[in-house]
Amino acid sequence: MNTKIDSTNPVKITDTTLRDAHQSLAATRMRTIDMEPIASKMNAVGFHSLEVWGGATFDVATRFLHEDPWERIKTLKKLMPDTPLQMLLRGQNLVGYRNYADDLCISFVQHSADSGVDIFRIFDALNDERNLKTTTDAVLAANKHAQLALCYSVTEEGCLGGDVYTLEYYVNKAKIFEDMGASSICIKDMAGLLSPYDAYNLIKALKESVNVPLQLHTHYTSGMASMTVLKAIEAGLDIVDTCLSPLALRTSQPAIEPLIVTLQGTERDTGFDLEKITPLNDYFEGLKDYLGPFLSNDRLAVIDTQVLSHQVPGGMISNLTSQLREAEALDRLPEVLEELPVTRKELGYPPLVTPTSQMVGVQSVNNVLFGRWNSITSQVKDYCFGLYGMSPKPIDKDVLEKALDGYERGTNPITIRPGDILEPELEKAKKDSSEFTKGLGDVLTYALYPVTGETFLKIKYGLQEKPEEPLPEPPSSMLPQAQSGNFSSRARDFNITIGNKQFQITVDPVGSQGSKTRSVSRILSQNVSNSLNGNEMLAEGEIALVAPMPGIIIREICKEGDSVKAGAEIIVLEAMKMENALTSPVSGIVKSINFKSGDKVSKGDMLVIIKEE
Ligand code: CO
């Protein structure tokens, strides 16, 4: 099916309530059972499309909700047959965090199309169009709508222009997208950095340069989104992303209701009936008890003015905060916030969007905690080698050299399309997962998430017990006094200097989830220590590699009895979705490896014990 888009008035609306809105506000925790009762009513509104899948929904469904993301899209398709369903696809990164091989990309798109996705919004974190080619071709081959999205980013100036992200930059990219066969083009402003007048100029210039419909996706984060959307509409924008008011504003999309009223009676009138929307809002308000604990709404302000001055969105700050809290180094947040733009610049100004936002964020934390560029994540190494595509500006020479020192693929970065050097991986994934998969959807889940995906599938087929997870309890943000601006006793103030500007921020750890994870993994690590036949105390000449931060063990690079050199990579730990290859502190023989792939570990756990030689 090719979704017909009429590029004349009225303004068309994509509703993001079932994907980006709850991803932005409630850690993506809405479940299929929360969507089913309202689906047919949303189907009847007359949205241009409903964004319901992709982005983090795939990862969160398998990792935390123990529900099959493929079942969700099939179910929604059945319940919402009249409105095109839309997904967010990270180009060659699909719904994961690295570049996957072409065969996997094609298979994923085909299976998504077969399962109910009509419109694929495809972006690449580096705006490298070569990374969009395989998935775009696959979408068009499936006779579906390929919307190519440009990540909107800025440099230190904070607005359109500067060294990298100029008007010409976006216009050139859009022309390339059109030549690639884009059915429509989206400006994807993930941090709410696009200001109203820049939006006007940008959309105007794009309208003059390309013929396909233009859509705007922005976030309310900085408070500019409603104004930005209106100016973009004045410049001729065709389609805009909004969501229903219960899940709107803050770091989410602008709300649909004020936009409907604003445009009423104008030539861009949406034609929507407010009376049809209100009952939907009542339904989503009813999810407050379930979603409330995940809302990180602990401030009076619904907007994040820090974004306006230093471009670090609140969501990213809360990620950095939780990473630092887990590493028991929360007091180093100001250093990390100063480090962030420096790390980003050295990495060639990548836009901050999944997966580059995690990559830059985690690396900035590592640079502060372990010394600059001393502990480099596997993803940053791959990025420096060119496996994520071409950075907007060249990577700093010294950083490149450090990152690729001893890198398995070599020390000379590639300049070709990353997909061209990746070995096909679908057949291998099929073979490796045959004992716990039953169809293509399962295999794709495993291929995308080998560790958490395997756990999910084994639970799905009763091969492993579902972990007993405590129901979320309301954090302080649910209580009335927290809403009125009081911080908990754990809140701390920080003075931050970025460039020559000074800021003061208050950080109040949300906490209930994190502390639970920690206590569970503490128990796990105690069990492991106890099972070490009384070897929890190191013997003479034995050195332990301890976890520098909590995370999940991804794989062992050595086995017991191996002889390893000091500095050799011996085990890979995933923290904040980034892989960290941990190195042996000494040369010696591997005496024991205390955790296996999939195990959760706490900071300080003895991962590997080495007998020094
Ligand atoms: Co978004």
Side-chain angles (χ1 to χ4, degrees):
M1 182 192 74
N2 241 327
T3 319
K4 192 172 176 295
I5 294 172
D6 186 349
S7 63
T8 57
N9 315 323
V11 172
K12 294 174 165 52
I13 308 269
T14 292
D15 177 87
T16 65
T17 309
L18 302 181
R19 205 286 296 179
D20 203 350
H22 74 106
Q23 178 173 328
S24 297
L25 297 187
T28 331
R29 289 308 203 281
M30 213 188 279
R31 302 157 298 188
T32 308
I33 53 163
D34 303 316
M35 304 176 184
E36 281 169 322
I38 198 70
S40 67
K41 285 208 174 79
M42 293 189 78
N43 178 53
V45 171
F47 290 117
H48 163 72
S49 63
L50 285 151
E51 192 198 44
V52 298
W53 210 62
T57 59
F58 203 99
D59 187 8
V60 172
T62 49
R63 199 185 282 253
F64 299 114
L65 302 177
H66 301 289
E67 68 166 71
D68 193 329
W70 297 105
E71 289 306 318
R72 176 179 300 178
I73 184 70
K74 285 178 197 163
T75 302
L76 293 179
K77 186 66 190 170
K78 263 191 219 130
L79 297 170
M80 304 196 281
D82 307 311
T83 311
L85 298 188
Q86 183 169 324
M87 81 167 289
L88 181 68
L89 187 69
R90 299 172 188 143
Q92 206 89 14
N93 302 326
L94 300 176
V95 288
Y97 305 98
R98 66 172 172 90
N99 266 5
Y100 298 98
D102 286 342
D103 65 335
L104 198 65
C105 292
I106 294 167
S107 189
F108 183 87
V109 167
Q110 282 170 345
H111 197 61
S112 304
D114 290 344
S115 303
V117 178
D118 302 298
I119 299 178
F120 292 75
R121 174 176 292 167
I122 315 172
F123 77 95
D124 175 62
L126 296 177
N127 285 332
D128 184 338
E129 59 276 3
R130 300 171 307 169
N131 288 333
L132 302 177
K133 191 172 179 345
T134 302
T135 42
T136 301
D137 290 349
V139 169
L140 295 173
N143 209 18
K144 299 288 179 182
H145 183 115
Q147 176 174 81
L148 301 194
L150 269 170
C151 299
Y152 182 77
S153 193
V154 295
T155 47
E156 285 90 353
E157 297 80 9
C159 59
L160 192 62
D163 276 353
V164 191
Y165 299 105
T166 60
L167 200 57
E168 298 70 50
Y169 170 90
Y170 293 110
V171 168
N172 287 339
K173 290 284 179 189
K175 284 181 179 164
I176 294 170
F177 284 3
E178 193 171 42
D179 289 343
M180 289 170 69
S183 319
S184 61
I185 291 174
C186 175
I187 295 293
K188 176 178 160 59
D189 174 26
M190 48 283 168
L193 297 174
L194 180 58
S195 69
Y197 288 103
D198 281 349
Y200 184 86
N201 293 333
L202 179 58
I203 297 299
K204 197 104 194 143
L206 290 174
K207 270 308 236 192
E208 283 161 11
S209 317
V210 294
N211 295 311
V212 293
L214 294 179
Q215 183 154 4
L216 177 61
H217 173 84
T218 184
H219 286 254
Y220 202 81
T221 321
S222 66
M224 296 192 288
S226 304
M227 295 182 278
T228 299
V229 163
L230 194 61
K231 290 306 287 181
I233 290 171
E234 286 178 10
L237 184 76
D238 300 281
I239 316 155
V240 62
D241 284 15
T242 64
C243 64
L244 299 171
S245 55
L247 286 148
L249 312 191
R250 294 156 282 186
T251 56
S252 177
Q253 268 71 61
I256 185 175
E257 299 87 348
L259 187 67
I260 293 175
V261 176
T262 300
L263 296 174
Q264 255 163 16
T266 72
E267 56 175 12
R268 305 302 312 273
D269 193 329
T270 60
F272 278 79
D273 182 358
L274 214 49
E275 300 302 310
K276 266 193 181 169
I277 306 279
T278 321
L280 303 177
N281 290 345
D282 294 343
Y283 175 79
F284 285 103
E285 284 293 344
L287 294 181
K288 196 174 155 223
D289 286 348
Y290 166 64
L291 289 180
F294 298 107
L295 298 176
S296 49
N297 192 22
D298 51 2
R299 300 168 62 231
L300 259 186
V302 295
I303 62 167
D304 176 6
T305 48
Q306 290 164 51
V307 164
L308 293 171
S309 30
H310 62 52
Q311 289 107 48
V312 184
M316 197 158 178
I317 293 183
S318 68
N319 270 344
L320 298 171
T321 307
S322 59
Q323 192 190 352
L324 285 169
R325 188 177 56 233
E326 302 244 304
E328 286 157 29
L330 193 54
D331 57 327
R332 306 199 66 180
L333 182 65
E335 290 168 74
V336 172
L337 289 175
E338 280 180 55
E339 173 64 26
L340 197 82
V342 184
T343 298
R344 182 183 176 222
K345 189 175 181 180
E346 286 169 333
L347 290 175
Y349 285 116
L352 296 178
V353 61
T354 306
T356 46
S357 50
Q358 283 91 337
M359 211 185 275
V360 174
V362 169
Q363 190 58 51
S364 302
V365 171
N366 283 5
N367 283 355
V368 166
L369 293 185
F370 312 119
R372 302 205 73 232
W373 304 107
N374 281 338
S375 170
I376 303 178
T377 65
S378 313
Q379 279 85 354
V380 168
K381 289 179 186 178
D382 291 346
Y383 171 91
C384 288
F385 188 68
L387 278 191
Y388 283 85
M390 201 181 345
S391 53
K393 285 274 169 186
I395 298 167
D396 179 271
K397 277 205 176 68
D398 295 339
V399 169
L400 195 65
E401 203 176 296
K402 260 196 141 165
L404 296 183
D405 181 33
Y407 180 69
E408 54 184 9
R409 291 173 192 266
T411 52
N412 279 330
I414 56 162
T415 52
I416 54 169
R417 186 185 73 99
D420 287 336
I421 65 157
L422 298 174
E423 295 292 327
E425 46 188 310
L426 186 62
E427 286 311 313
K428 185 177 184 307
K430 264 184 199 162
K431 228 166 84 194
D432 293 350
S433 65
S434 60
E435 276 166 27
F436 49 86
T437 54
K438 280 193 179 147
L440 183 56
D442 288 345
V443 173
L444 289 167
T445 299
Y446 169 74
L448 286 162
Y449 292 104
V451 177
T452 53
E454 178 174 334
T455 306
F456 163 75
L457 291 161
K458 283 183 170 165
I459 293 168
K460 177 181 169 184
Y461 292 117
L463 302 166
Q464 192 174 312
E465 229 170 283
K466 187 168 166 178
E468 209 178 297
E469 277 171 50
L471 283 169
E473 44 180 76
S476 54
S477 66
M478 282 293 284
L479 304 172
Q481 65 266 29
Q483 296 291 347
S484 65
N486 289 340
F487 292 101
S488 77
S489 60
R490 295 160 73 197
R492 310 183 55 179
D493 289 332
F494 295 103
N495 288 314
I496 295 166
T497 312
I498 293 175
N500 50 7
K501 295 183 192 161
Q502 267 226 344
F503 307 95
Q504 194 187 52
I505 66 165
T506 306
V507 172
D508 196 3
V510 183
S512 69
Q513 291 303 106
S515 52
K516 236 169 246 149
T517 319
R518 203 151 51 221
S519 58
V520 170
S521 48
R522 282 268 155 76
I523 294 163
L524 272 178
S525 62
Q526 266 173 17
N527 287 344
V528 169
S529 308
N530 291 342
S531 67
L532 287 176
N533 305 324
N535 277 352
E536 60 265 47
M537 299 294 284
L538 293 171
E540 177 96 13
E542 287 175 3
I543 307 283
L545 168 67
V546 297
M549 56 203 136
I552 300 175
I553 297 298
I554 295 293
R555 61 184 171 272
E556 307 97 64
I557 304 176
C558 62
K559 48 184 196 308
E560 283 171 18
D562 278 1
S563 154
V564 293
K565 289 231 158 20
E569 295 179 352
I570 52 176
I571 197 161
V572 181
L573 176 72
E574 185 204 70
M576 304 299 286
K577 294 169 187 161
M578 292 291 117
E579 293 180 8
N580 298 272
L582 305 181
T583 55
S584 179
V586 290
S587 297
I589 304 287
V590 176
K591 186 184 167 222
S592 65
I593 303 173
N594 302 339
F595 294 88
K596 61 181 192 320
S597 164
D599 284 348
K600 280 188 187 166
V601 299
S602 306
K603 179 182 192 239
D605 279 346
M606 287 192 262
L607 305 179
V608 180
I609 294 173
I610 295 150
K611 193 155 176 31
E612 199 174 1
E613 285 198 318

